[in-house]
Amino acid sequence: MTRLRTGGVRAVVGAVLALTLTGALAGCSSTGGKRAEDARKAAAAQGRAAVDTPRWTFAMVTHSGDGDTFWDIVQNGAEQAAVKDNINFLYAHSDEGKEQAQLIDSYVTKGVDGLIVTLAKPDAVKAAVEKAVKAGIPVITVNSGAEQSKAYGALTHIGQDETVAGEAVGEELDRRKKKKALCVLHEQGNVGHEQRCGGAKKTFGGELVNLYVDGTNMPDVKASIEAKLQSDKDIDAVVTLGAPFADAAVQAAKSAGSTAEVDTFDLNAKVATALQAGTLGFAVDQQPYLQGYEAVDLLWLYRYNADVLGGGKPVLTGPQIITKDDAAALVGYAERGTR
């Protein structure tokens, strides 16, 4: 069965609360609750807003590199919430901290009504986020930077606790009786990645070693993992920190003649299929669609009703350990880009 951690429960509570509030607003129509809800569903299906609030502009700036399918899912969630909430949604990204800060500054200059940012490289974007807050623009952080979010002035943080997620991986590796694991970090300087591997090392009863690779060069990722597996036959598990890198690790293990199990953070259609086939052992899902959707929805709630979810604490969307037993139920969602 799927093992949903405490963070996942809090995330579900947050999602239910946000959707309940939105549904309640729609239900106030003079046509009655059921008719109003039917009208809301029809509007969403036709790409029309379900509310009559002003058309605010929200911008999201992430640390995504080009071609990262994880961020496609985050963006998909944000865009769908934006349609429902009558929001003009803008998106920009850069895996360079300095460029991410410049993008944030550009949206502050444009005077957007709300900002959603990631803090994978918190020092690089600190001044830009604080500038936005000083300008009166509400900010929500997502995915990374839970520790810095409040200090930088953000309303709340939405995502998983990366250390907790790493600890869940260490525990799962123990359950699978693994003895030596390789943790593959694909982005230098990403504090969340360090926390994931550090958390796994904390709870894993075996030995865990880090391997740094260039995540922008997939052939290099494969070659680096393959070389490590060839030189260390004791490695019986490889943990990648993003779904796009899981397949490269599987190929590397095969080329190296290694029987090491490949596990990964994050979920997409390819990972779900590989879990079903047994090519991957397990995945750690932080529900990126929920991160994007809730970020927009919570900004809308703040602008409309001064609501702040979480009581000053992060709203957690994971970790959720996904295994072969769970994958079949999620393949359809992954294929449509929502898991």
Side-chain angles (χ1 to χ4, degrees):
M1 291 180 63
T2 300
R3 290 167 291 283
L4 184 59
R5 312 288 178 186
T6 303
V9 174
R10 188 184 297 174
V12 172
V13 171
V16 170
L17 176 58
L19 290 174
T20 299
L21 285 169
T22 303
L25 290 171
C28 290
S29 168
S30 61
T31 61
K34 185 179 185 304
R35 290 182 181 179
E37 177 64 9
D38 289 343
R40 184 192 67 79
K41 290 179 179 178
Q46 296 170 21
R48 293 187 288 110
V51 296
D52 59 0
T53 47
R55 188 162 176 78
W56 294 308
T57 295
F58 296 165
M60 175 183 281
V61 183
T62 75
H63 63 275
S64 169
D66 293 331
D68 191 332
T69 57
F70 176 90
W71 292 102
D72 292 341
I73 302 172
V74 175
Q75 189 176 351
N76 190 14
E79 288 175 343
Q80 291 194 24
V83 170
K84 175 180 66 68
D85 293 339
N86 193 31
I87 298 300
N88 176 36
F89 178 73
L90 307 175
Y91 180 82
H93 67 92
S94 174
D95 55 4
E96 295 293 332
K98 182 178 180 180
E99 291 180 5
Q100 189 186 2
Q102 291 171 345
L103 290 168
I104 295 170
D105 283 339
S106 71
Y107 284 132
V108 173
T109 300
K110 289 178 181 178
V112 297
D113 301 297
L115 265 174
I116 302 161
V117 301
T118 63
L119 303 179
K121 298 172 182 175
D123 292 341
V125 300
K126 180 176 186 289
V129 173
E130 290 178 339
K131 180 180 178 181
V133 173
K134 187 176 181 179
I137 299 173
V139 176
I140 286 180
T141 60
V142 297
N143 181 261
S144 53
E147 296 80 4
Q148 295 84 9
S149 178
K150 187 174 183 180
Y152 288 10
L155 298 176
T156 192
H157 178 82
I158 303 171
Q160 72 178 2
D161 184 304
E162 302 292 15
T163 298
V164 172
E167 291 172 353
V169 168
E171 293 166 357
E172 185 67 21
L173 290 173
D174 278 342
R175 275 191 284 271
R176 293 167 179 265
K177 304 187 184 305
K178 302 303 178 182
K179 301 301 180 184
K180 188 170 186 178
L182 183 69
C183 196
V184 183
L185 298 93
H186 62 267
E187 185 180 339
Q188 295 263 5
N190 187 319
V191 294
H193 289 183
E194 297 288 348
Q195 291 168 341
R196 289 178 181 182
C197 293
K201 188 171 185 177
K202 179 180 177 181
T203 57
F204 181 39
E207 180 183 357
L208 185 140
V209 294
N210 289 354
L211 176 67
Y212 293 88
V213 299
D214 180 3
T216 64
N217 185 339
M218 202 61 77
D220 176 72
V221 173
K222 177 180 178 295
S224 298
I225 297 173
E226 182 179 338
K228 186 65 176 179
L229 292 176
Q230 286 176 334
S231 65
D232 191 343
K233 300 297 184 182
D234 291 334
I235 295 174
D236 56 5
V238 178
V239 180
T240 63
L241 302 187
F245 306 96
D247 187 56
V250 169
Q251 295 177 36
K254 184 177 180 180
S255 298
S258 171
T259 59
E261 175 183 284
V262 177
D263 308 302
T264 190
F265 280 79
D266 301 334
L267 184 72
N268 61 18
K270 198 166 188 176
V271 167
T273 301
L275 287 169
Q276 271 191 302
T279 309
L280 295 178
F282 67 90
V284 186
D285 186 20
Q286 60 175 305
Q287 303 185 98
Y289 177 88
L290 190 60
Q291 292 179 14
Y293 191 99
E294 283 304 290
V296 169
D297 224 23
L298 295 190
L299 272 181
W300 176 83
L301 284 166
Y302 181 78
R303 296 291 315 203
Y304 176 76
N305 204 44
D307 290 311
V308 179
L309 196 63
K313 301 292 184 181
V315 178
L316 302 184
T317 62
Q320 183 179 20
I321 300 293
I322 306 294
T323 67
K324 182 176 183 178
D325 294 338
D326 312 307
L330 299 178
V331 168
Y333 302 135
E335 288 177 345
R336 75 181 185 189
T338 58
R339 285 300 289 265

